[in-house]
Amino acid sequence: MPRSSRYILAVALLFGIACQNSTTNISTSLSPPQNLGYQLDASGDPNTPAGILLVWDDVVSSDLASYRVYSRASTSGSFLLRGETSSNTFHDNGVPHLQYAVTAADVNGGESDFSNTVTVNEYLQTGAPGALVGISLDSAIHLDWHDTPNLSRLKWYRVYSSDYVSGSNPCMNWVLEGTTVSHEFLSAQLPNGVTRCFDVSAVDTLGYESLGAGVWTDTPRPDARNVLVWAVGVNTPAAGFRFWNDANGGLGLVQAGNRTDIDFSMFVDPGDSTLWFVPAFTGDSLLLYSNSPVADLTSIDLAPATGYSRDTIQAVPGYGYVFKRVESGLVHYAALRVTAVSRQYVIFDWSVQTDPGNPDLTPRRSATSRQAVASR
């Protein structure tokens, strides 16, 4: 969501302002339009709406020729003609004026008194949603946030995204991803390994847009479910696994367990038939993600910075594991969660981050644990 300078609204006498009682010296029998209301067009900047839609009740008369829309930029200024329409709606493009009123004009040129006056009051701006977080997925990011505190006024949420470029202002070129009435949103068809910025605002029934929830950055990465790898000696040609081959873009490759370029092979302990992860490639190391089972692959948080080793680790159903692969000076992180273990093979879900050095795997965490990103 881009930010620009605020449009200035007079704050004195915003309500109960007396308008001139007539607009012309030519008398008319037409009654003034009733129930003038408005709705703002959200722009991505809560302080600079893209326009305003005015709506009022039709004046039912055969003498009606048109409606005239007046506006002024301050409470002390004169109302000036903004436009004329035969409809009982009027769209004013651009940053709205402070106040609007409407008259009815008859076929003889006569003009009614003003309708009620509406004031575009920035202090009616709705409350911002909070605690925006994301889950990294394969070619997608699942976003979630806390509802606006003014939920009874909510019309919908607007979700924005932007390119991410390292520097003092890394999130630029904001675009609208979409709208939703829910406090969650799936941003899909994203390139894996490319970091993107996200933010969300709330729009109320009058069109007032809130401030953003706070910028969240995330990086999609490939994953897959229920991959089966055999133990060496049981089915050696399918006893190894490589998360990603960056030379040819291969992902999730089940390969021979005696190769030296795979990430790990599976070893079966002849004493008790337990299965163990064995790091294979010289740059590979791994660790147990936690000392208790994880609910899902998406429960695995940021890849830890330390604690990796080339020791074998037993494959246990429900537990998560993180791999660190170093090749040609580049670090890539991967994760897996074991779903089943037999005496001959293991089944697991996995994910890998193709962006070098990026520990983002499948996070759901507070924004304070993420890299600080400048406000838009």
Side-chain angles (χ1 to χ4, degrees), residues 43-63:
S43 68
D45 183 345
N47 303 309
T48 311
I52 186 172
L53 176 66
L54 300 168
V55 182
W56 56 91
D57 293 344
D58 257 329
V59 174
V60 181
S61 173
S62 59
D63 292 332

Side-chain angles (χ1 to χ4, degrees), residues 57-139:
D57 293 344
D58 257 329
V59 174
V60 181
S61 173
S62 59
D63 292 332
L64 178 70
S66 64
Y67 298 102
R68 294 174 184 170
V69 179
Y70 294 84
S71 68
R72 61 183 180 181
S74 70
T75 57
S76 60
S78 299
F79 277 93
L80 300 177
L81 183 64
R82 190 71 172 176
E84 193 164 0
T85 177
S86 59
S87 170
N88 66 327
T89 66
F90 181 83
H91 186 266
D92 195 14
N93 196 40
V95 177
H97 273 188
L98 175 63
Q99 292 185 319
Y100 289 84
V102 180
T103 65
D106 65 25
V107 293
N108 297 315
E111 192 170 5
S112 74
D113 289 342
F114 273 128
S115 68
N116 58 296
T117 299
V118 293
T119 301
V120 183
N121 179 6
E122 67 176 340
Y123 294 102
L124 294 176
Q125 184 183 87
T126 191
L132 174 64
V133 295
I135 298 177
S136 304
L137 301 172
D138 188 356
S139 302

Side-chain angles (χ1 to χ4, degrees), residues 244 246 281 283-285 303-305 308 322-334 352-360:
W244 179 49
D246 54 354
F281 181 67
D284 271 314
S285 55
Y308 299 88
V322 179
F323 289 75
K324 179 180 180 180
R325 193 175 200 273
V326 183
E327 184 176 16
S328 301
L330 297 178
V331 176
H332 289 278
Y333 294 98
V352 63
Q353 180 52 260
T354 57
D355 185 25
N358 190 333
D360 215 348

Side-chain angles (χ1 to χ4, degrees), residues 193-208:
V194 178
T195 303
R196 196 157 182 82
C197 306
F198 297 91
D199 205 349
V200 60
S201 67
V203 178
D204 73 6
T205 52
L206 289 178
Y208 287 100

Side-chain angles (χ1 to χ4, degrees), residues 107-321:
V107 293
N108 297 315
E111 192 170 5
S112 74
D113 289 342
F114 273 128
S115 68
N116 58 296
T117 299
V118 293
T119 301
V120 183
N121 179 6
E122 67 176 340
Y123 294 102
L124 294 176
Q125 184 183 87
T126 191
L132 174 64
V133 295
I135 298 177
S136 304
L137 301 172
D138 188 356
S139 302
I141 301 295
H142 173 83
L143 300 167
D144 199 353
W145 56 88
H146 291 172
D147 278 318
T148 169
N150 306 125
L151 191 58
S152 63
R153 293 169 49 193
L154 178 69
K155 181 180 181 182
W156 55 46
Y157 295 103
R158 284 167 63 96
V159 180
Y160 298 87
S161 72
S162 105
D163 300 328
Y164 177 88
V165 181
S166 60
S168 59
N169 188 20
C171 300
M172 304 178 67
N173 304 318
W174 289 94
V175 296
L176 180 66
E177 283 275 332
T179 61
T180 176
V181 296
S182 172
H183 58 80
E184 58 186 7
F185 184 86
L186 181 67
S187 179
Q189 299 182 339
L190 302 175
N192 284 325
V194 178
T195 303
R196 196 157 182 82
C197 306
F198 297 91
D199 205 349
V200 60
S201 67
V203 178
D204 73 6
T205 52
L206 289 178
Y208 287 100
E209 186 171 13
S210 74
L211 296 172
V215 177
W216 177 269
T217 61
D218 223 320
T219 313
R221 80 295 170 277
D223 69 14
R225 302 279 175 162
N226 298 324
V227 175
L228 187 150
V229 176
W230 294 85
V232 173
V234 177
N235 184 4
T236 300
F241 187 78
R242 181 164 181 169
F243 290 102
W244 179 49
N245 186 343
D246 54 354
N248 58 25
L251 289 166
L253 306 174
V254 177
Q255 298 182 317
N258 54 7
R259 294 178 59 147
T260 59
D261 59 348
I262 57 175
D263 290 309
F264 65 86
S265 62
M266 296 307 303
F267 168 76
V268 58
D269 188 327
D272 58 9
S273 297
T274 55
L275 266 67
W276 297 70
F277 294 107
V278 181
F281 181 67
T282 55
D284 271 314
S285 55
L286 75 156
L287 57 76
L288 181 67
Y289 178 68
S290 70
N291 292 323
S292 59
V294 295
D296 186 76
L297 178 65
T298 57
S299 301
I300 299 179
D301 209 321
L302 287 174
T306 60
Y308 299 88
S309 82
R310 289 185 56 80
D311 294 339
T312 60
I313 298 181
Q314 184 179 353
V316 180
Y319 280 74
Y321 306 81

Side-chain angles (χ1 to χ4, degrees), residues 14-30:
L14 288 182
F15 300 98
I17 299 170
C19 301
Q20 62 193 76
N21 292 324
S22 63
T23 57
T24 177
N25 293 324
I26 302 177
S27 62
T28 180
S29 61
L30 295 178

